[in-house]
Amino acid sequence: KVSTEDPEMAFCTLANREELNPEEGSIHHCLYQFTRNETLTETNKLLCDVCTQRHCGPKNNIKSEKKYVYTNAKKQMLISLAPPILTLHLKRFQQAGFNLRKVNRHIKFPEVIDLAPFCTAKCKNVAEGNTKVLYALYGVVEHSGTMRSGHYTAYVKMRAMNNHLSDLVLRGQSPALETEPVKGQWFHISDTHVQPVSVSKVLSSQAYLLFYERLL
């Protein structure tokens, strides 16, 4: 779907992303790279319907003459609707010739993350004037082993019910949410073995999946 946006606002975010200066090897750096502004040129040029019509005239002549006009363009993927639950899936494999190799590098991730630098300035469910979109970590999935075999374990935070989040998930309402992460105890789960762990242990894990719940 192609939509017409104000050119001045098309690539604007809720918070200034240029002030981030994200550390390489962090989840912020991953999000920054995923949402970076790209220039489409040469073989990646965009088919422009408006330019084609100007060049070829009425639409009925476009198909017959097939003189499509391609133009340079800018592309950027930003979040337009902040989800109640944020799931981040890290790419843990790398192409090496015809083989896939697992990436075991530790990616730093915080207990609380702000998505504002990655949200469009007109994010639909963020109150006007807000420059923060905060999420708190409540679950991590970790994989040990190789691309051919291995074992999945999880870290889960046991915490009190977040009624505001329930309203957001079930009814689509967006009340004033908490700005601090809900207090609770972290547990490491491996098959039938469950044991309490510290938050530092969770943050040092080699995350494969990250689960955050919205705070603000």
Side-chain angles (χ1 to χ4, degrees), residues 94-127:
Q94 187 175 37
Q95 187 83 34
F98 294 101
N99 299 316
L100 290 177
R101 182 174 64 85
K102 185 185 174 186
V103 177
N104 290 310
R105 181 182 183 184
H106 173 67
I107 300 298
K108 294 182 180 179
F109 55 94
E111 193 175 2
V112 176
I113 191 170
D114 184 7
L115 276 194
F118 316 110
C119 292
T120 175
K122 295 182 179 179
C123 200
K124 297 173 185 175
N125 57 348
V126 176

Side-chain angles (χ1 to χ4, degrees), residues 48-91:
C48 178
D49 291 334
V50 175
C51 302
T52 301
Q53 289 183 32
R54 288 175 180 170
H55 184 268
C56 302
K59 288 184 178 181
N60 58 349
N61 292 331
I62 295 176
K63 292 183 179 180
S64 60
E65 297 181 14
K66 293 185 178 180
K67 293 181 179 178
Y68 299 113
V69 178
Y70 294 82
T71 183
N72 293 336
K74 288 184 179 180
K75 169 191 170 185
Q76 187 175 27
M77 297 179 66
L78 295 172
I79 298 169
S80 62
L81 185 70
I85 300 298
L86 173 68
T87 304
L88 298 177
H89 181 186
L90 300 182
K91 183 181 177 183

Side-chain angles (χ1 to χ4, degrees), residues 6-29:
D6 180 358
E8 297 296 325
M9 297 294 292
F11 298 97
C12 292
T13 50
L14 281 174
N16 188 352
R17 59 189 282 114
E18 300 309 320
E19 294 180 355
L20 272 181
N21 192 24
E23 180 184 356
E24 189 173 352
S26 68
I27 198 68
H28 287 96
H29 188 261

